[in-house]
Amino acid sequence: MANPQPHVVMLPFPAQGHIKPMLMLAEVLCHAGFRISFVNTDHIHNIIVENIDKSPLSQFPGFRFLSIPDGLPPEHPRDSSSIKDLFTSINSTGKIMFRDLIISLLRRDDLEREEIWHAPCCIIADGIMSTLAIDVEEELEMPVITFRTYSATCTWVYFHLEKLIEQKEIPVREGDEDIDRLVTCITELEKVLRRRDLPSICRCEVDPSILKFFLEQTSKMRRASGLILNTFEDLEAPIIRQLHSIYSKVYTIGPLQALLKSQMDDSPVAGAATGSLRQEDRTCIAWLDKQPAKSVIYVSFGSVVVMSPDQILEFWHGLINSGKPFLWVIRPDLVFGNGPNGLPEEIMCPTNERGYVVSWAPQEEVLAHCAVGGFLTHSGWNSTLESITVGVPMICWPLIVDQKVNSRCVSDIWRVGIDMKDSCDRSTVERMVRVLMEDKDEEIAKSTSKFANLAQKSVREGGSSFCNINKLIEDIRSIQSKKDDCKTK
């Protein structure tokens, strides 16, 4: 009897920006014939399974969703304003439940969809789920490969959190006289990264228990057998080389959306494989079809960030005053507190020919549209990489976790956009939009075109990401083979 195909358990952090790249990797592995048990929290599971039948993943009998409780009550908002609660509950309830789930998978073969599910051979776990996965690895001898869904650069910064504390670089207080002082204790970033650009968890305003959570996760993460990153060699080569000082195996397999498309003969990726937990409003595509080429500024602050009504109004007036057509994603839960109540009606409805507002957009399709000439973004890593991949320059307004690092890379390392962190008054917004859309900075134009070409090259046959995903697949098969050998002895 032939040896079974590898069965991999995948464990994302329960947020869209983390689930999205995990699901894309799951689909790539399914194409390789792997079986995937994708473990969400119960809360996320209840949201995402409604759309799975519309997803490319539904075609794979070797893919299934499993779930564990996150320990929070159903009515908990689970947004960025209450993220501490989720971190705490994941470390307690989630840890116990995940261990019990893995034990149950190891003890028996499952019969599902008339298919045999053999015991898993390894776990691919989000880097900030390391306290769940690494303890299971050490107790049950289940190999763990960590998938850090941030950039290589931000991952490298997180590995220096203890050193930043030792050298009193953090915590950083808004308004400090030396907030723009360069941080010189992080190799390769000595001449680029300022204290202002450090992750938001390094700010005085953030609960110190959140910094402690990330310190614990990063420490545990070092013990994984390998590191997966959704990036590509030509974008972050110097930092990737540094990460090899921690991991003997670093798999840079991005941009995952381009890698997946290349393996599917450029057919569109849709449904749950995009990781979207929200209903997309596709009417915006028809609106974009009517706009001139490169004329529209696309505005989206991601799936987690919350803003005050005053901040939204400043952006609104800045966009209107810029005179540029804009497509703006305003989620129902974007406004801090009681939702969009109190915002002017014109913001919550499609405006005139110059502006269009939706609650959620098919972002990859929007960014690839010929009418889009710029992206005003929160600088989440998925959004940043999607924009780089299609050559759309960015205006960065970062707020939380890795976003501040990403925005600095965009403006001062890769030169594919401009950084607007820590400011959002209407005059600044108007000026930045005009600079990006009118001035057409030659260096930014050249860099966006260069990195878009390199991103596409990386996922084609012979490219770095193409080779690395094959190496990852081979290494997981090797883990499975060793497991099978042990069974026969």
Side-chain angles (χ1 to χ4, degrees):
M1 182 177 176
N3 288 336
Q5 287 280 13
H7 173 192
V8 179
V9 175
M10 299 186 73
L11 178 68
F13 182 77
Q16 178 162 312
H18 297 253
I19 292 168
K20 178 175 183 173
M22 278 276 196
L23 276 174
M24 288 191 289
L25 175 56
E27 188 168 349
V28 172
L29 296 179
C30 282
H31 274 286
F34 287 18
R35 296 186 179 280
I36 304 294
S37 291
F38 199 93
V39 183
N40 288 308
T41 60
D42 292 343
H43 174 75
I44 296 294
H45 181 82
N46 292 335
I47 296 171
I48 206 168
V49 292
E50 295 178 8
N51 297 317
I52 190 59
D53 288 340
K54 304 170 187 175
S55 159
L57 284 165
S58 63
Q59 69 183 288
F60 297 109
F63 178 89
R64 65 179 175 184
F65 283 119
L66 301 176
S67 68
I68 57 174
D70 64 11
L72 296 174
E75 66 275 11
H76 194 283
R78 295 170 175 83
D79 60 22
S80 61
S81 65
S82 57
I83 197 69
K84 176 185 172 183
D85 297 341
L86 185 55
F87 290 157
T88 302
S89 64
I90 284 291
N91 261 343
S92 53
T93 302
K95 182 176 178 179
I96 296 166
M97 294 299 179
F98 183 66
R99 174 187 177 276
D100 291 347
L101 174 63
I102 295 299
I103 289 173
S104 72
L105 295 177
L106 289 172
R107 282 180 177 167
R108 61 184 173 84
D109 289 335
D110 295 333
L111 181 63
E112 185 171 310
R113 302 182 190 173
E114 299 181 352
E115 296 282 340
I116 294 292
W117 285 76
H118 298 282
C121 68
C122 70
I123 299 167
I124 295 178
D126 193 299
I128 57 173
M129 299 291 271
S130 292
T131 53
L132 279 69
I134 298 299
D135 285 351
V136 166
E137 174 184 36
E138 293 171 351
E139 179 185 353
L140 305 176
E141 297 182 347
M142 171 72 66
V144 171
I145 305 170
T146 189
F147 185 175
R148 199 65 169 101
T149 56
Y150 291 170
S151 65
T153 303
C154 192
T155 301
W156 184 235
V157 170
Y158 271 71
F159 279 121
H160 287 78
L161 288 175
E162 288 187 1
K163 183 178 281 190
L164 289 168
I165 293 170
E166 290 169 5
Q167 300 207 2
K168 303 188 186 311
E169 294 286 5
I170 59 175
V172 178
R173 188 180 303 279
E174 181 67 37
D176 280 356
E177 290 182 5
D178 58 354
I179 196 169
D180 288 317
R181 187 183 74 220
L182 288 171
V183 176
T184 59
C185 65
I186 304 178
T187 306
E188 295 291 348
L189 299 174
E190 302 94 335
K191 297 180 181 179
V192 179
L193 209 63
R194 306 164 299 179
R195 296 177 76 230
R196 182 189 298 278
D197 306 314
L198 293 171
S200 63
I201 60 171
C202 300
R203 297 279 178 117
C204 286
E205 298 82 4
V206 176
D207 191 313
S209 67
I210 295 179
L211 175 59
K212 181 182 177 184
F213 171 84
F214 279 96
L215 281 165
E216 291 171 350
Q217 299 294 333
T218 305
S219 176
K220 288 267 188 182
M221 182 179 148
R222 286 176 176 268
R223 307 214 291 263
S225 60
L227 172 66
I228 301 170
L229 292 168
N230 184 19
T231 189
F232 56 102
E233 295 282 344
D234 285 318
L235 186 67
E236 299 188 272
I239 302 298
I240 294 164
R241 284 195 294 270
Q242 294 298 325
L243 288 168
H244 275 286
S245 67
I246 300 173
Y247 298 98
S248 60
K249 295 180 179 180
V250 178
Y251 308 94
T252 54
I253 59 171
L256 265 167
Q257 70 272 24
L259 178 70
L260 185 53
K261 287 177 182 178
S262 74
Q263 297 202 349
M264 297 174 65
D265 299 321
D266 293 325
S267 62
V269 179
T274 66
S276 180
L277 306 182
R278 300 173 184 272
Q279 187 66 41
E280 295 171 344
D281 184 345
R282 295 191 54 79
T283 62
C284 61
I285 301 299
W287 180 82
L288 285 173
D289 289 341
K290 299 174 184 176
Q291 310 307 315
K294 303 294 183 184
S295 67
V296 174
I297 182 83
Y298 170 57
V299 186
S300 177
F301 300 117
S303 60
V304 177
V305 163
V306 291
M307 302 166 63
S308 70
D310 287 344
Q311 287 174 320
I312 289 183
L313 280 172
E314 290 302 305
F315 276 104
W316 173 260
H317 287 294
L319 290 165
I320 291 291
N321 295 341
S322 76
K324 305 301 172 189
F326 61 88
L327 168 60
W328 191 358
V329 174
I330 299 184
R331 309 183 327 260
D333 58 350
L334 179 63
V335 184
F336 182 79
N338 59 352
N341 297 330
L343 291 181
E345 184 178 345
E346 63 266 27
I347 293 182
M348 298 313 299
C349 301
T351 56
N352 51 35
E353 291 182 2
R354 198 176 346 139
Y356 202 79
V357 174
V358 293
S359 60
W360 199 246
Q363 181 161 290
E364 289 180 43
E365 189 175 351
V366 166
L367 287 171
H369 197 286
C370 62
V372 173
F375 184 14
L376 174 48
T377 172
H378 64 306
S379 295
W381 182 238
N382 291 320
S383 293
T384 300
L385 195 57
E386 287 162 12
S387 200
I388 288 171
T389 302
V390 294
V392 173
M394 288 165 271
I395 300 170
C396 302
W397 189 66
L399 284 182
I400 59 174
V401 286
D402 63 319
Q403 298 166 10
K404 292 178 182 291
V405 177
N406 295 339
S407 66
R408 186 64 169 175
C409 292
V410 164
S411 64
D412 281 63
I413 297 180
W414 307 320
R415 309 284 185 182
V416 292
I418 48 183
D419 194 354
M420 198 177 74
K421 67 166 54 80
D422 298 330
S423 175
C424 72
D425 62 275
R426 63 189 67 183
S427 62
T428 300
V429 173
E430 177 187 354
R431 177 170 55 84
M432 291 287 193
V433 172
R434 288 183 179 275
V435 166
L436 194 76
M437 303 294 287
E438 291 179 0
D439 291 358
K440 303 298 181 186
D441 183 289
E442 189 173 327
E443 184 180 11
I444 290 177
K446 192 177 295 184
S447 293
T448 53
S449 177
K450 178 185 81 170
F451 282 116
N453 289 331
L454 290 171
Q456 296 298 331
K457 181 182 175 182
S458 73
V459 300
R460 291 197 290 266
E461 188 169 357
S464 59
S465 297
F466 180 93
C467 294
N468 284 333
I469 190 64
N470 286 329
K471 177 61 175 168
L472 175 63
I473 288 168
E474 289 170 10
D475 288 348
I476 294 174
R477 289 193 193 280
S478 177
I479 294 170
Q480 178 69 51
S481 294
K482 290 176 183 176
K483 178 172 171 288
D484 294 335
D485 289 345
C486 288
K487 276 186 177 181
T488 59
K489 287 180 180 178

